[in-house]
């Protein structure tokens, strides 16, 4: 037995020393025309196993497919080139002459293995460009509008990666439902490729009512949202949101006119109206324990209007510049966003990043100018089966940090969009940070159940000082049935009794 083990060890040692059974690429030889870029992409095969060149060739082919050469292909084969025995013997004799007789044995030179040469040939073929995209299904969208929404530009070199990104873009936009994979057709007379999608019109316009109740404070709040997307198949969007609570009322509106004057820019008009009932000390009516007189209440109203332009950059990025004014200031805003979510309803994977900076000026008080900046990130990652994780975070700040501002100038926090365990827009702060982790169980497009946890903090306003920590947690439930959906959530703040949270109930219809 010991002798058998010894034989095995000797055989393995010999195999490792002599390279028995191991095929590695010793050199690369090209046939036909090729470029230095091709050399740099394939040189990683040197010294690698003989099959390692195939993934590198696939990567090189994909590169050319994204440059318009959709028929590009790379062929290769391994050729074994034996080194002549005479040269080996002469090399051994020269070594013996230098090192002394018997120093180097050439007896084994006759069995030396050959070199493995990788012979490659690349054929790029003709260059193809995109023809206008088409839709083979009933999209309810004008033909030229659909072509612009796809993000594929007529006359640009064909890119299969862009085709995949275009499909994802159309899916997450919400206007359409994919019914079949995209197909490519070649123009028989010219080097043009027609991308043909199969996208059916989706019921994406919504009317939604949301009602929340706080059992701790016995307060009811209501919100009504109406969103009209892709109006008459023109990519025009209109959104209205109204909210009413015990001491506040809000109304916001948004309208987009796409591709103004035939350009890539959209014109957006948006605005909001806020009305809040405050105590004489500036706090929301009902929050102060010292104020018992209704005569001390003050009604604060704010009307803000903005107009701006936005445009898409590629398939995932968009930017926007806005100019606005209210009764006591003028301001300008720059916004940027990145969206790579896989779908519009109940996404399973992808990212959403948004950031904005607002410069306010021309104010009547002693503070002539100040800057407000916000950023947020949202990410979905599939875990296992129907289980998905969601991570999000957001932050905001007002600079200079020591400025004294009116209450309406600060960030409004609270509600489903940030601190879910708080009333809608009841907290004001000059700076804040918030993160969230949630575990979701999703069943297709029909059902989603989640548990979430939100740690955060915010800067307290005068006369308080310093930072205050906030922790919210709870569960949520969304059920779709055809064109209707029901949403429920229950959220608590840290330290609250488990029966004193906020219950949210939403009913949505799609049309």
């Amino acid at each position: 037995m010991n002798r058998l083990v010894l034989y095995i060890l000797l055989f393995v040692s010999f195999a490792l020393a002599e390279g028995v059974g191991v095929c590695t690429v010793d050199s690369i030889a090209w046939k036909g025309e090729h470029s230095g870029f091709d050399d740099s992409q394939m040189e990683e095969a040197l010294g690698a196993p003989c099959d390692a060149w195939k993934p590198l060739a696939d990567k090189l082919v994909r590169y050319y497919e994204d440059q318009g050469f959709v028929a590009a292909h790379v062929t290769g084969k391994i050729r074994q080139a034996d080194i002549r025995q005479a040269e080996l013997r002469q090399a051994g004799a020269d070594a013996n002459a230098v090192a002394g007789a018997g120093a180097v044995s050439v007896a084994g030179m006759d069995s030396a293995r050959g070199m493995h040469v990788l012979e490659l040939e690349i054929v790029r073929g003709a260059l193809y460009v995109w023809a206008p995209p088409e839709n083979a299904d009933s999209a309810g969208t004008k033909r030229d509008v659909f072509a612009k929404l796809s993000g594929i530009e007529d006359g640009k070199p064909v890119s299969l990666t862009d085709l995949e990104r275009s499909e994802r873009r159309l899916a997450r936009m919400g206007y359409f439902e994919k019914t079949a994979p995209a197909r490519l057709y070649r123009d028989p007379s010219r080097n043009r490729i027609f991308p043909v999608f199969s996208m059916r019109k989706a019921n994406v316009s919504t009317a939604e009512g949301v009602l929340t109740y706080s059992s701790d404070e016995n307060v009811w709040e209501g919100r009504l949202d109406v969103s009209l997307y892709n109006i008459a198949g023109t990519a025009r969007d209109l959104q209205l949101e109204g909210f009413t609570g015990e001491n506040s009322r809000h109304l916001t509106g948004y309208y987009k006119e796409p591709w103004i004057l035939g350009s890539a820019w959209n014109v957006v008009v948006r605005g909001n109206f806020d009305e809040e009932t405050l105590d004489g000390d500036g706090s929301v009516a009902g929050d102060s324990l010292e104020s018992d007189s209704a005569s001390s209440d003050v009604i604060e109203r704010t009307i803000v209007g903005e107009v701006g332009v936005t445009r898409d950059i590629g398939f995932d990025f968009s930017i926007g510049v806005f100019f606005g004014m209210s009764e006591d200031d003028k301001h300008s805003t720059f916004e940027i966003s990145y969206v790579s979510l896989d779908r519009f309803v109940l996404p399973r994977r992808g990212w959403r990043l948004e950031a904005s900076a607002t410069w306010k000026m021309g104010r009547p008080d002693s503070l002539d100018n100040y800057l407000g900046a916000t950023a947020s990130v949202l990410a979905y990652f599939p875990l296992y089966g129907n289980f998905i994780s969601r991570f999000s975070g957001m932050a905001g700040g007002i600079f200079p940090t020591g400025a004294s501002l009116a209450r309406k100038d600060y960030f409004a926090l609270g509600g489903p969009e940030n601190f879910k365990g708080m009333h809608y827009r009841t907290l004001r702060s000059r700076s804040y940070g918030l993160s969230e982790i949630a575990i979701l169980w999703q069943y297709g497009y029909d059902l989603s159940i989640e548990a979430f946890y939100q740690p955060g903090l915010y800067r307290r306003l005068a006369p308080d000082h310093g930072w205050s920590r906030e922790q919210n947690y709870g569960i949520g439930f969304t059920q779709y049935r055809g064109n209707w959906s029901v949403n429920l959530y229950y959220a608590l703040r840290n330290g609250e009794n488990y029966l004193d949270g906020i219950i949210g109930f939403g009913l949505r219809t799609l049309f």
Side-chain angles (χ1 to χ4, degrees), residues 358-360 363 367-372 398-400 405 409:
T358 300
W359 181 253
K360 293 204 173 185
R363 300 166 54 80
L367 183 65
D368 293 330
N369 308 291
Y370 76 89
L371 174 69
I398 293 177
F399 310 95
L405 304 175
D409 293 322

Side-chain angles (χ1 to χ4, degrees), residues 49-65:
C50 289
D51 288 338
W53 68 273
K54 295 179 181 178
L56 297 174
D58 292 340
K59 181 180 177 181
L60 182 59
V61 168
R62 186 56 185 259
Y63 167 79
Y64 281 113
E65 288 176 341

Side-chain angles (χ1 to χ4, degrees), residues 374-390:
T374 62
S376 64
V377 59
L378 172 70
Y380 287 85
F381 297 99
L383 295 176
Y384 177 78
N386 292 330
F387 286 94
I388 303 164
S389 61
R390 184 182 70 225

Side-chain angles (χ1 to χ4, degrees), residues 220-231:
W220 291 88
E221 296 177 335
R223 194 179 75 193
L224 179 63
D225 301 341
V226 177
S227 299
L228 306 179
Y229 296 105
N230 196 23
I231 300 172

Side-chain angles (χ1 to χ4, degrees), residues 126-129 131-132 154 185-194:
L127 174 67
Y128 286 84
V129 297
D154 182 16
Y185 294 91
R186 184 173 65 88
D187 188 326
S189 59
R190 290 182 289 177
N191 290 346
R192 298 202 309 164
I193 297 292
F194 287 88

Side-chain angles (χ1 to χ4, degrees), residues 420-479:
K420 293 183 174 69
M422 302 170 59
H423 290 300
Y424 181 68
R425 294 172 61 99
T426 56
L427 176 66
R428 302 289 171 143
S429 176
R430 68 169 57 255
S431 55
Y432 68 95
L434 170 66
S435 61
E436 179 187 56
I437 179 172
I439 303 297
L440 299 83
W441 185 87
Q442 287 188 6
Y443 183 75
Y445 289 88
D446 298 325
L447 176 64
S448 175
I449 301 173
E450 68 175 80
F452 60 86
Y453 171 65
Q454 297 178 308
L457 72 167
Y458 60 90
R459 192 76 177 178
R460 292 179 293 185
L461 300 184
D464 297 323
H465 300 282
W467 293 85
S468 178
R469 295 188 178 275
E470 181 72 24
Q471 297 185 72
N472 291 198
Y473 49 92
I475 56 175
F477 168 89
T478 301
Q479 174 70 68

Side-chain angles (χ1 to χ4, degrees), residues 141-429:
T141 300
K142 294 182 177 180
R143 184 176 179 179
D144 60 327
V145 172
F146 181 87
K148 291 180 179 179
L149 290 175
S150 71
I152 292 178
E153 297 184 37
D154 182 16
K156 286 291 188 70
V158 169
S159 169
L160 298 186
T161 296
D162 284 353
L163 181 67
E164 297 169 358
R165 296 169 69 186
S166 178
E167 278 197 292
R168 292 196 298 268
R169 170 187 167 89
L170 291 170
R172 69 169 175 265
M173 190 177 295
Y175 293 175
F176 315 104
E177 293 178 354
K178 180 179 175 180
T179 58
R183 294 170 301 224
L184 299 178
Y185 294 91
R186 184 173 65 88
D187 188 326
S189 59
R190 290 182 289 177
N191 290 346
R192 298 202 309 164
I193 297 292
F194 287 88
V196 179
F197 298 89
S198 294
M199 294 285 178
R200 180 177 56 204
K201 180 182 182 298
N203 292 325
V204 66
S205 296
T206 64
E208 180 179 17
V210 179
L211 189 65
T212 62
Y213 172 70
S214 171
S215 56
D216 181 34
E217 302 175 14
N218 193 29
V219 172
W220 291 88
E221 296 177 335
R223 194 179 75 193
L224 179 63
D225 301 341
V226 177
S227 299
L228 306 179
Y229 296 105
N230 196 23
I231 300 172
T234 59
R236 294 183 174 94
D237 297 335
L238 173 65
Q239 301 173 48
L240 297 172
E241 175 188 311
F243 168 85
T244 183
E246 187 175 38
N247 300 297
S248 62
R249 286 145 296 279
H250 310 282
L251 178 65
T252 62
Y254 170 99
Y255 175 74
K256 182 188 74 174
E257 180 69 25
W259 310 302
I260 189 70
L261 300 178
S263 69
W265 294 90
N266 313 310
V267 171
V268 174
V269 178
R270 64 189 187 186
N272 61 273
F273 166 79
D274 295 338
E275 180 182 279
E276 296 187 83
T277 303
L278 309 176
D279 286 330
D281 59 0
S283 61
V284 177
D287 288 350
S288 175
L289 299 179
E290 299 177 358
S291 178
D292 297 323
S293 173
S295 61
S296 63
D297 292 346
V298 177
I299 296 179
E300 180 182 87
R301 295 185 179 92
T302 305
I303 301 176
V304 179
E306 293 181 311
V307 61
V309 291
T310 67
R311 68 164 294 167
D312 295 331
I313 302 177
F315 295 89
D316 303 322
F317 285 93
S318 66
I319 60 172
V321 179
F322 293 86
F323 299 92
M325 61 187 304
S326 66
E327 67 276 10
D328 64 352
D329 73 50
K330 304 178 184 67
H331 60 271
S332 58
T333 301
F334 174 76
E335 299 178 350
I336 184 170
S337 68
Y338 168 83
V339 183
S340 65
L341 300 176
D342 61 337
R343 59 195 197 186
F344 183 77
V345 177
L346 301 181
R348 294 180 59 88
R349 66 176 71 241
W351 291 77
R352 178 188 292 274
L353 292 87
E354 297 178 333
S356 68
T358 300
W359 181 253
K360 293 204 173 185
M361 53 198 165
R363 300 166 54 80
D365 54 24
S366 60
L367 183 65
D368 293 330
N369 308 291
Y370 76 89
L371 174 69
T374 62
S376 64
V377 59
L378 172 70
Y380 287 85
F381 297 99
L383 295 176
Y384 177 78
N386 292 330
F387 286 94
I388 303 164
S389 61
R390 184 182 70 225
F391 299 91
S392 64
M394 59 183 67
I398 293 177
F399 310 95
T401 57
S404 178
L405 304 175
R407 184 176 185 274
K408 60 183 176 60
D409 293 322
Y410 293 107
F411 297 113
L413 304 175
E417 296 179 354
N418 39 71
F419 290 114
K420 293 183 174 69
M422 302 170 59
H423 290 300
Y424 181 68
R425 294 172 61 99
T426 56
L427 176 66
R428 302 289 171 143
S429 176

